Amino acid sequence: MSENLQQGTQARTASVVELAQELIRRPSRGGIDDYGPVLAVLEDWLVARDLPHRRLHDDAGELVGLLVEIPGGRPGKWWTLDACVDTAPYGDETAWSFSPDSGDIVGGWLLGRGAADSKLAAAVFCHIAADLLPRAAELHGGLAVLLDVDEHTGGFGGARAYLADEVAARPAGVMIGYPGLDEVVVGGRGLWRATIAVHGPSGHSGSSKSVVGAISRAARLVRLLDAADLPGVDGGEGFPLPPKLSVTSFHGGQGFSVTPDRCDLNVDVRITPAFDAHDAETLIRKAVAELDAELPAPAPTEMAPVVAWPPFRLAEDEQPAAALLGAAAKTGLVVKAKTAGPSNIGNLLAGEGIPATAGFGVPYEGLHGIDERAHLAELPTVYAVYQRAVLDLLGD
């Protein structure tokens, strides 16, 4: 079955590109555009090919994705292919050398926002599902294809709706279709985020009375955080990255004549197995206590945790990493396993105890920037790798 499917891979790529073009031409910027048009393109394609699917909605009833489900005829585990079809914003459209919703092919590149992240992958996964449907009786377990939105907002509404769905089979693992031909992301640092409200006495900036206002106190807190002692490169348990702390937002005051009584900060801590969410919160609370002791204010500094995701890392012999890396090797590619610094949806899945890979696809440029594009020459190889990996996972 695997050899027969591989023989048709080259012929399938033209159809994959055609679907990806239609998706790119429906703007779906996270938190900006209506997701209905891009999901309608996918749903029409699935209906035309009799692929079993259903809609996913969030708690507010908003459509946040489509779920294709192909049950095998034999007992086994379920595996999921996931690609988001919402995108990053365009940024400065005048800086683009082509329309962000182009979808054209120039010099072997597919052009437009979402070409790399991740509308081309969505088209690939839809076609793999269509390939498998006639052979479903031979499969062990089942294959789900999650086509989600609300990913680039950080809300992950589609993925959350899938995980909360009481009908869907719980996946044994997920392969996420981010681009990049040289690496398979098998892990990532987690995160812990909090908002901090720093208070201080207010007054007229021209007053003869000198006060240490909220902005000055907040600046001192930033210095304390920048000087915080974090573990080194060995993140623990063989984890290859250290934790990292960043102050990512600083707001306070208005105009010129008033010393403000409040300044608000956002703090982002990238965590590891050796420095987890509890450690991050403890460190921030220690810095806050030091500030309040050193520079007392009318009200204590307030800290409010916002979100926490765990770090994750798969060994190369764990599924689904083993299947994807093995399929790449059989296709002649040299692909490295990577633990990423930035967090991704794999962290959300790790919090649910579901192993995930990410970051294998075609070469790309301009991801989240200007002139996003995906190189198509490698598409047949990428298609073959995912197809082989899925078949290996659904085998006996």
Side-chain angles (χ1 to χ4, degrees), residues 175-357:
M175 290 180 282
I176 305 162
Y178 295 145
L181 195 65
D182 300 326
E183 298 170 331
V184 172
V185 175
V186 297
R189 286 187 293 206
L191 59 81
W192 180 90
R193 291 173 175 164
T195 60
I196 301 176
V198 179
H199 302 282
S202 64
H204 197 290
S205 58
S207 172
S208 60
K209 181 181 179 181
S210 178
V211 298
V212 181
I215 289 179
S216 296
R217 297 186 75 244
R220 174 57 179 157
L221 178 60
V222 172
R223 290 194 292 272
L224 290 171
L225 294 174
D226 285 345
D229 186 21
L230 298 174
V233 173
D234 182 7
E237 301 177 16
F239 202 83
L241 297 172
K244 182 181 180 183
L245 187 156
S246 303
V247 177
T248 57
S249 178
F250 189 105
H251 295 284
Q254 185 175 356
F256 292 92
S257 62
V258 176
T259 302
D261 61 1
R262 176 170 173 148
C263 186
D264 294 290
L265 287 68
N266 288 351
V267 178
D268 177 285
V269 185
R270 299 304 165 121
I271 59 177
T272 69
F275 190 83
D276 61 16
H278 177 267
D279 297 321
E281 182 168 351
T282 299
L283 183 148
I284 302 300
R285 289 193 183 279
K286 179 181 178 182
V288 164
E290 185 175 346
L291 172 71
D292 286 349
E294 179 183 330
L295 299 173
T301 302
E302 301 169 89
M303 187 194 74
V306 175
V307 66
W309 287 355
F312 77 101
R313 187 166 186 259
L314 303 182
E316 294 182 26
D317 60 352
E318 290 182 84
Q319 299 292 15
L324 193 54
L325 291 166
K330 293 174 185 175
T331 314
L333 290 177
V334 178
V335 179
K336 298 181 295 183
K338 176 185 178 180
T339 300
S343 302
N344 60 59
I345 196 173
N347 297 89
L348 175 66
L349 294 165
E352 297 286 333
I354 299 171
T357 63

Side-chain angles (χ1 to χ4, degrees), residues 94-110:
T94 64
W96 288 63
S97 61
F98 49 83
S99 173
D101 60 357
S102 168
D104 293 341
I105 299 171
V106 177
W109 293 86
L110 175 63

Side-chain angles (χ1 to χ4, degrees), residues 175 320 323-325 327-328 384-394:
M175 290 180 282
L324 193 54
L325 291 166
V385 168
Y386 271 109
Q387 191 178 68
R388 182 187 289 270
V390 168
L391 289 171
D392 287 346
L393 290 168
L394 297 175

Side-chain angles (χ1 to χ4, degrees), residues 34-36 38-40 42-43 46 52-69 80-85 144-151 156-171 174 345 348-349:
D34 177 9
Y35 302 134
V38 72
L39 291 172
L42 288 166
E43 190 156 31
L46 297 171
H53 68 280
R54 53 197 175 87
R55 299 177 177 181
L56 296 173
H57 297 86
D58 62 16
D59 292 339
E62 295 293 326
L63 179 62
V64 289
L66 301 172
L67 182 65
V68 182
E69 295 168 303
T80 298
L81 299 173
D82 170 43
C84 64
V85 292
V145 177
L146 174 62
L147 306 164
D148 58 321
V149 295
D150 192 35
E151 196 264 8
F156 298 105
R160 291 182 188 278
Y162 171 47
L163 295 174
D165 192 288
E166 297 180 355
V167 178
R170 186 172 181 83
V174 177
I345 196 173
L348 175 66
L349 294 165

